[in-house]
């Protein structure tokens, strides 16, 4: 049994009038994350953690922001693509843990629906995905609601047998 760990980090600036997506969930808020995709920094951090665990290139090189194919794309679509790559290599997610740092809105009411959205894509039960939301105590650009950031770690396991 081969187990590998991956770490991901992402930060996106906020802009008034944009839809806010976090953990694959649209959250009512006056501002949203700027990005070539939907700006979902939680899913982006998870993607980079998964790619890191299997020693692949990062999200920016896999889905370049110069490629019109990814303009406005939901990040959950990108996460599905990454999971297919992992499955082709017979890699399965054991568990993942995420910290999202956002001064506002309060994210606690959305954590469960984020898990409902992300767990099926990762192919894990709800007890294998942790999502914690923190404010930045009003400090810095995140504290002033100019940006949101996210960290993610994952463990993946290579299943026995031939690679597809
Ligand atoms: Mg990003």
């Amino acid at each position: 049994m081969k187990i590998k760990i991956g770490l991901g980090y992402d930060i996106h600036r906020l802009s008034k009038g944009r839809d806010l997506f976090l953990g694959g969930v649209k959250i009512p808020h006056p501002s949203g994350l700027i990005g070539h995709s939907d700006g979902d920094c939680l899913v982006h951090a998870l993607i980079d953690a998964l790619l890191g665990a299997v020693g692949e290139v990062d999200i920016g090189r896999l889905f370049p922001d110069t490629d019109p194919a990814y303009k406005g794309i939901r990040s959950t679509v990108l996460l599905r693509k990454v999971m297919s790559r992992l499955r082709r290599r017979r890699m399965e997610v054991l568990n993942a843990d995420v910290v999202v740092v956002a001064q506002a809105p309060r994210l606690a009411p959305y954590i469960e629906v984020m898990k409902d959205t992300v767990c099926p894509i990762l192919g894990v039960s709800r007890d294998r995905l942790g999502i914690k939301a923190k404010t930045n105590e009003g400090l810095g650009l995140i504290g002033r609601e100019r940006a949101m950031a996210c960290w993610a770690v994952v463990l993946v396991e290579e299943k026995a047998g031939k690679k597809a």
Side-chain angles (χ1 to χ4, degrees):
M1 184 168 77
K2 270 199 226 165
I3 293 178
K4 296 177 175 181
I5 192 169
L7 170 69
Y9 166 76
D10 198 24
I11 184 166
H12 279 243
R13 284 183 291 149
L14 282 157
S15 173
K16 284 228 161 26
R18 251 184 92 88
D19 287 337
L20 173 63
F21 289 94
L22 273 178
V25 177
K26 189 173 167 184
I27 295 171
H29 195 55
S31 54
L33 298 167
I34 302 171
H36 186 63
S37 66
D38 62 8
D40 190 331
C41 65
L42 192 157
V43 171
H44 294 180
L46 258 179
I47 287 175
D48 263 354
L50 290 162
L51 293 171
V54 298
E56 289 214 25
V57 298
D58 62 45
I59 184 172
R61 275 195 284 169
L62 198 56
F63 308 113
D65 63 7
T66 48
D67 189 335
Y70 303 122
K71 186 163 169 52
I73 198 168
R74 291 292 300 273
S75 298
T76 44
V77 174
L78 304 179
L79 181 60
R80 278 195 189 89
K81 288 179 190 285
V82 167
M83 284 307 300
S84 319
R85 287 170 82 92
L86 262 72
R87 289 196 181 101
R88 279 200 296 276
R89 297 173 60 165
R90 303 189 62 84
M91 306 298 286
E92 283 185 6
V93 176
L94 286 179
N95 80 307
D97 196 13
V98 168
V99 180
V100 57
V101 190
Q103 192 63 37
R106 216 177 135 257
L107 295 176
Y110 304 100
I111 299 291
E112 292 306 311
V113 59
M114 288 182 199
K115 288 176 76 162
D116 287 341
T117 306
V118 173
C119 286
I121 304 175
L122 295 180
V124 297
S125 52
R126 300 164 56 85
D127 60 335
R128 286 169 179 259
L129 174 64
I131 300 178
K132 284 97 60 196
K134 303 179 74 68
T135 73
N136 215 40
E137 293 286 335
L139 295 166
L141 292 172
I142 295 174
R144 292 204 295 275
E145 298 181 42
R146 299 274 303 279
M148 292 181 183
C150 190
W151 284 260
V153 286
V154 298
L155 276 185
V156 299
E157 179 185 358
E158 188 174 343
K159 304 305 259 184
K162 259 183 104 183
K163 284 180 186 169

